[in-house]
Amino acid sequence: MIQIYSNSLGKEELNAVKDVFNSKWLGKGPKTEEFIKKFSRKLILENHNSVAFISPKEDNFLTINSCTEGIFQIIEFLDIKKGDEVILPSISFVGVANAIVSRGATPVFCDVDQHTLNPSLEHIQEKITNNTKAVIVLHYAGVPCDIKSISNLCQEKSIYLIEDNANSPFSYVGGKSTGLYGDFGVWSFDAMKILVTGDGGMIYCKNKDHAESLRKQSYLGLESSSGLSNSIDKKWWEFEVSSAGRRSITNDIQAAIGIEQLKKANGFISRRKEIHKMYIEALKDLDWIKLPNIPKLVNSSYYMFHVQVKDRDKFAKYLREKEIYTTFRYYPLHWVDFYGSKDKFPNTEYAANHTLCLPLHQNLTNKEVNYIIETIKKWN
Ligand SMILES: *Cc1c(COP(=O)(O)O)cnc(C)c1O
């Protein structure tokens, strides 16, 4: 079976983990600091000569045990509660809606473009009310949404903007990384993402005081730092608590893996780009299949390759019988009873009925990609 997602963890990661084992410091420590520093530096687009933005500082970042938990933490930190509304595209990750509902707030879904599956400025605009507290967008498949306009709109209306950046590590608009446009950006390093640490995530906060508060909130709400960094003339077992925080931190095992993955990230993305191009070149003349388009002036992380066809379910079944695993991401949340939405979204519904994500990852061989292409060509 050809898998749709894969990851590349090898001897470099194993050796890095071994070093952490030998150090006896497994918890959040020096490796985590190093990972945050290297991650934040890597968000600056290489060879980019624009100075139109301030490069992000490591103080603005913190690690978190998953992207889902990161969004829960941010929603809680912003004190979003009953009576508040948060706008998100219906085509979003389920955990994002749960974070809103868990606070008693209302998830307000919006439509998306039927081909890109990203929301437009208008889709968001038409859902804004006096109760709108925040907007949460993702960059579908790694292709940035219209984040500049959306960010301007949110600033104008004093609405928080959160970017779910799980699809788009190292995606750029105008030389600036996605995830850095909003008030908060959240990345995922789970096993199906591009950069993998087993599980884990990263939060960026535009305001570094927010990052400091989230660092405390995600570690039991503790005010004072650990015994190690306390001065010895203090009673190091005393502490203060500033919020009813859970424990959502990451450890140095994950960070050590992340540091190695960062070195490989460019390679992952360029291989993904190559495969993306092979699909486009081979399938562009077929009139029954709609291919994804990456606009000029943006850089994609090439996280997913989504096509649209008339008989999507039959097409998926056909590919599955030929040992090619595909899927559709993300099942529309306004169709999920639990969220109680009465919305009708023509574009989202079109997308949900026609879109299929083909295998796209750095471990696919040319032989496999050609097999997928030939199998697709034989359909119809
Ligand atoms: C994977 C994913 C998440 C959740 O990430 P976790 O780290 O697994 O919690 C959130 N949003 C999107 C778009 C995702 O693809």
Side-chain angles (χ1 to χ4, degrees), residues 275-285 291 305 373 377:
I275 297 167
H276 200 281
K277 199 168 159 202
M278 284 172 78
Y279 279 141
I280 298 270
E281 288 298 314
L283 303 174
K284 66 176 195 286
D285 294 330
L291 302 177
F305 188 92
I373 288 168
K377 282 182 168 173

Side-chain angles (χ1 to χ4, degrees), residues 211-267:
E212 185 53 26
S213 301
L214 279 170
R215 238 172 256 129
K216 291 174 185 166
Q217 189 186 288
S218 60
Y219 189 56
L220 305 164
L222 289 182
E223 264 300 316
S224 36
S225 38
S226 76
L228 255 192
S229 46
N230 262 345
S231 58
I232 31 173
D233 53 17
K234 267 172 70 187
K235 289 183 270 184
W236 53 88
W237 49 84
E238 293 184 355
F239 58 82
E240 260 321 315
V241 169
S242 54
S243 65
R246 298 183 294 273
R247 191 175 179 283
S248 314
I249 57 174
T250 56
N251 59 47
D252 272 13
I253 301 174
Q254 292 162 298
I257 298 171
I259 291 165
E260 297 307 313
Q261 289 275 289
L262 277 177
K263 297 179 196 161
K264 300 180 179 179
N266 288 1

Side-chain angles (χ1 to χ4, degrees), residues 279-308:
Y279 279 141
I280 298 270
E281 288 298 314
L283 303 174
K284 66 176 195 286
D285 294 330
L286 302 179
D287 58 3
W288 54 270
I289 187 165
K290 172 93 184 154
L291 302 177
N293 174 47
I294 299 176
K296 290 197 178 66
L297 303 174
V298 309
N299 299 59
S300 176
S301 63
Y302 300 92
Y303 178 57
M304 296 193 287
F305 188 92
H306 68 290
V307 299
Q308 297 185 321

